[in-house]
Structures are given as structure tokens and as C-alpha cells.
Amino acid sequence: KSEGALELWDASTSMNRSETNNHAQQQVIEKKALNVLTETFFPGPLTLVARAHPSIPQILMANTGFVACRSPSHPIARALISAAKVPIAAPSANKFGHVSPTLAEHVMDDLGQEDVWIVDPTLDAPEGTKEQESHSPICQVGVESTVAKVEMSNEQIKGSITILRHGAISSSSIREALAKNGLSGYFEVSDSVRFTSEKVSNVAPGQTIKHYSPNVPCFMVDVSRQCQQSELSHEEKAILAQSVVIDYGKRLSGYEQHVLAYRDLSVEGDASMAASGVFETLRWSERIQGATRVFVPDIILSNNEDALDLAVKDKLTRAASAVIVDIFA
């Protein structure tokens, strides 16, 4: 529930007499914004980051003073939280930097040798039954939630809402929710997705430049080598013969006949379909026997692209550590 989430953030604390009128008004506005966003998007694929309540342990804040919270919509996740009767703090169910899991078997692949319990609702359901399908552990969106940071200005009664990670909820959807509740004049909504080193403390996950990476070297193919296949050298043909291509919208379809394995996230360029399968496909690529490289397209987007298009581009960019090649080598 949104009320439970609000208790984790500093804006929910009661103001005392020593606080300035300006700070008190800031807290009121911030609390209203957090309430609007949680009421609009919870449960669902949005993670909100805000200044943490004093009761939150430091270990949950990565030394940033901020804490992230989301309310998942999947019935299994909600049942687990309900049974716990407290907010659950946990890392992602995969090894750091590796491809995110969307199935219980992905978690087993990464953490099966560790002391962990894996919740898989299909274990007792007969294969192919309606019961199994209705309790499918597959993530509905396919990529992680949008992460948005809510922060007030030090001096003004205004603040910012910054998109730190692309997901299914767009910045325009957040602007619309604020406008409907008379808060658009108080907040500037912007994108600020970062590409940092692994040594930097971030308030949101998925910010490092190498992330979601398969266990095979991955590279983005420059636009100049997409769509129409240019002439390949003997060396490039030899490289492609040992490579996997993950395509999107047939950008790299001209190389399909030359590669070890080929899969298109969506031939039609459908962002929802691509997002639902991007992590499974990245994991598929590392299972191809004999593969020494994975190639994905460098995706160029216009300013009005779908939120999931931005998410797919982000995942493929980080899988390739943002390395773009115009020669297959």
C-alpha cells in the first residue's frame, strides 16, 4: 500500500517547531508528490527514490541518504510481502552485472550453489495447465521498473523528479500524474540515466556502464553497418561464424546467414515484445555452444519514443558496456 511506502521516506516525518516555514512547506509538497505517484503507479513497475526516514538503516541507503521503494504487482511477490508483514529489503536475484532474471530457473542458474530459497509457483502445477499459466513466474513487463528520484531544492519550494533508470513508466506519464493533482508547477521532470563505474555508490540500481551482461563479450553494431549488409572481409566472416546476433526490428538481419545463431527481439520493432524477451534472449546467447561474441544493434531513437524503447536500448547498451563497433573483430 502507498501508506506503507510513505513511512520509509523523510517527508512523512512530522514537522517540529524548530523547522523553518520554508522547509515545512517543502516537506508538505514532497509528501503530496510521493502520495500522488504511489497512488497512481503502485502496485506497478515504478521505483521511487527519496530522502530516507531517520529510522532506515544505513546499509539500505548505500551511504547516499536516500532509499528506494516499489510495490510489485505480481501476485507471488505481493503474497510474500503480505506474509512477511514488513517491507522486504533484498538485492536482485542474480550475480552483480549479469543479466537480470525473469524466470525462477534464471535465479537457479546464477545462485543455485548459494544458500538461497527460490520461490517457483509452477513446481507443483502440471505442465501446460491453466493453474501453471495463471501463476506464471515470468515478469509481465520483462525489464526492471522505472526508477525516479524525488528531491526538493535547498532554498525554494520546488523540486525535481529525475528518471534514473528507464522502464515501463515514462517521464511524460509522471508529468501527467503531477498535472492532474496540481503539482506540475512544483517539479521539473527530467531524464538523467547515468553510466558509472562499479566503484561509484548510486541511489538506484542498473547505473553501471557494464550491466545486464552475458558471459560472452558483447558489442553494439554501429548504424553504418546495419540494415543493408556491407561487404564482409574474410576475417569478419570468420568472426561472425562464431558469433550470436541479437537483433531488434531487423536492423542486423543481413548477417543472419553468416552467424552461429540469430534472434530478433521483435521483427516489427514492437517495444513491448522486445522488452518482455530481452533478458531471456541475452541469457540464451551465452548458452550457444561455441559462441565467442554477441552483437546487438546500436539503437538510435527519436525524442518521442516509447518508454520501453528507451528501456530496451538501455539494457542492450549496458550489456555491451556501451562499446560500438563498425568492424566485426
Side-chain angles (χ1 to χ4, degrees):
K1 294 182 178 180
S2 59
E3 295 85 354
L6 289 172
E7 294 175 3
L8 301 175
W9 293 312
D10 188 50
S12 67
T13 59
S14 57
M15 278 76 75
N16 57 57
R17 296 177 182 176
S18 65
E19 290 177 327
T20 65
N21 185 54
N22 190 60
H23 184 262
Q25 291 183 57
Q26 283 184 334
Q27 278 198 303
V28 169
I29 296 300
E30 182 179 3
K31 186 174 182 178
K32 284 183 178 179
L34 289 168
N35 191 60
V36 164
L37 295 176
T38 54
E39 288 290 340
T40 304
F41 299 110
F42 281 16
L46 177 67
T47 296
L48 289 172
V49 179
R51 194 164 295 281
H53 187 277
S55 64
I56 301 300
Q58 285 290 331
I59 194 173
L60 299 182
M61 296 186 285
N63 298 316
T64 65
F66 289 79
V67 68
C69 180
R70 72 171 294 235
S71 177
S73 59
H74 197 287
I76 301 303
R78 297 194 65 77
L80 184 62
I81 295 171
S82 178
K85 301 186 186 303
V86 293
I88 296 177
S92 299
N94 61 294
K95 293 182 178 179
F96 180 77
H98 193 216
V99 184
S100 297
T102 54
L103 291 167
E105 65 185 68
H106 295 164
V107 182
M108 179 63 74
D109 289 341
D110 273 12
L111 304 177
Q113 302 302 314
E114 307 295 334
D115 184 18
V116 297
W117 289 61
I118 299 172
V119 180
D120 185 352
T122 67
L123 286 178
D124 297 325
E127 187 175 353
T129 62
K130 290 185 177 179
E131 180 182 3
Q132 184 188 45
E133 293 174 0
S134 64
H135 294 288
S136 172
I138 300 174
C139 297
Q140 295 172 346
V141 177
V143 294
E144 296 99 334
S145 61
T146 298
V147 177
K149 181 182 180 183
V150 180
E151 188 173 17
M152 300 303 293
S153 169
N154 289 329
E155 299 179 357
Q156 299 177 320
I157 308 174
K158 287 192 174 184
S160 62
I161 297 179
T162 308
I163 304 299
L164 303 179
R165 182 177 71 187
H166 291 302
I169 306 299
S170 65
S171 54
S172 59
S173 296
I174 291 175
R175 290 190 192 95
E176 184 179 344
L178 294 173
K180 284 183 177 179
N181 291 273
L183 292 172
S184 57
Y186 292 101
F187 291 93
E188 179 182 351
V189 182
S190 63
D191 287 11
S192 182
V193 177
R194 305 170 64 196
F195 293 87
T196 69
S197 74
E198 298 177 359
K199 298 179 180 180
V200 175
S201 294
N202 291 304
V203 296
Q207 299 289 284
T208 54
I209 192 167
K210 181 178 172 61
H211 211 71
Y212 316 118
S213 300
N215 293 329
V216 178
C218 185
F219 307 92
M220 289 188 291
V221 178
D222 187 76
V223 176
S224 65
R225 297 299 300 271
Q226 295 180 23
C227 295
Q228 292 185 343
Q229 179 189 342
S230 55
E231 186 175 349
L232 295 168
S233 67
H234 292 297
E235 292 78 8
E236 287 185 311
K237 288 181 179 179
I239 291 295
L240 287 173
Q242 303 175 61
S243 301
V244 175
V245 164
I246 297 175
D247 205 356
Y248 182 31
K250 302 177 70 174
R251 289 171 170 86
L252 303 178
S253 59
Y255 301 107
E256 182 175 2
Q257 62 180 315
H258 296 284
V259 298
L260 193 60
Y262 172 93
R263 183 181 289 185
D264 198 319
L265 296 173
S266 171
V267 174
E268 296 80 14
D270 181 270
S272 180
M273 179 182 294
S276 68
V278 63
F279 287 144
E280 162 59 25
T281 303
L282 284 167
R283 284 179 175 265
W284 160 81
S285 71
E286 65 186 15
R287 297 195 301 268
I288 301 300
Q289 188 172 4
T292 60
R293 293 167 180 78
V294 176
F295 291 104
V296 302
D298 179 22
I299 302 172
I300 306 300
L301 301 176
S302 61
N303 292 330
N304 59 349
E305 293 293 339
D306 183 275
L308 286 176
D309 264 322
L310 292 170
V312 171
K313 174 181 173 64
D314 181 80
K315 308 317 173 195
L316 294 180
T317 300
R318 295 181 196 276
S321 303
V323 176
I324 302 174
V325 298
D326 58 9
I327 296 176
F328 298 104

